Amino acid sequence: QVQLVESGGGLVQAGGSLRLSCAASGRSFVSYAMGWFRQAPGKEREFVAAINWSFGTTYADSVKGRFSISRDNAKNTVYLQMNSLKPEDTAVYYCAGRPNRGIYSNIEAYPYWGQGTQVTVSS
């Protein structure tokens, strides 16, 4: 089993940047599929970005060209670099993991979740 802890959220003005981190405990992180999701008030949780063991990535259309997901297997950490932030990016951001070498954009694929970190973008 793996435990996931997010950090890096905060308040930022529109057009600004933030980098979220997700630290994973446990072994075999290198073979985990990792993803970022977000949930805005009153809305369902939605996919943001995912990365597989060989650094392949996929993104939601709403964040393509603005967000970048990466991983550092030596540090058991996955990152989400968020640039050109918009007020509609305001949400709680969650890190998720699956012990599999695929790449997944659906919530149901991930058995492990962090507690979330708040991102607020002011206009």
Side-chain angles (χ1 to χ4, degrees):
Q1 187 170 353
V2 65
Q3 291 186 327
L4 304 174
V5 179
E6 303 97 334
S7 62
L11 174 64
V12 64
Q13 289 188 332
S17 297
L18 281 175
R19 188 177 79 156
L20 305 183
S21 299
C22 173
S25 65
R27 299 178 292 179
S28 303
F29 173 79
V30 65
S31 61
Y32 269 61
M34 299 298 297
W36 285 98
F37 293 77
R38 67 186 181 187
Q39 188 165 17
K43 295 188 176 181
E44 294 187 350
R45 193 170 298 188
E46 65 176 8
F47 169 72
V48 175
I51 187 167
N52 67 7
W53 72 283
S54 60
F55 304 97
T57 60
T58 187
Y59 297 91
D61 288 344
S62 59
V63 305
K64 279 181 182 176
R66 300 189 299 122
F67 290 12
S68 177
I69 187 171
S70 61
R71 64 191 298 162
D72 185 337
N73 291 330
K75 296 182 178 180
N76 278 17
T77 300
V78 63
Y79 304 98
L80 185 68
Q81 178 67 43
M82 306 185 294
N83 299 326
S84 302
L85 282 161
K86 305 175 182 180
E88 50 264 44
D89 294 318
T90 295
V92 177
Y93 282 71
Y94 297 90
C95 173
R98 175 185 173 98
N100 184 279
R101 294 189 171 190
I103 190 165
Y104 305 93
S105 60
N106 54 310
I107 292 172
E108 296 77 14
Y110 293 92
Y112 303 117
W113 292 82
Q115 292 301 306
T117 185
Q118 177 71 47
V119 171
T120 303
V121 184
S122 64
S123 58

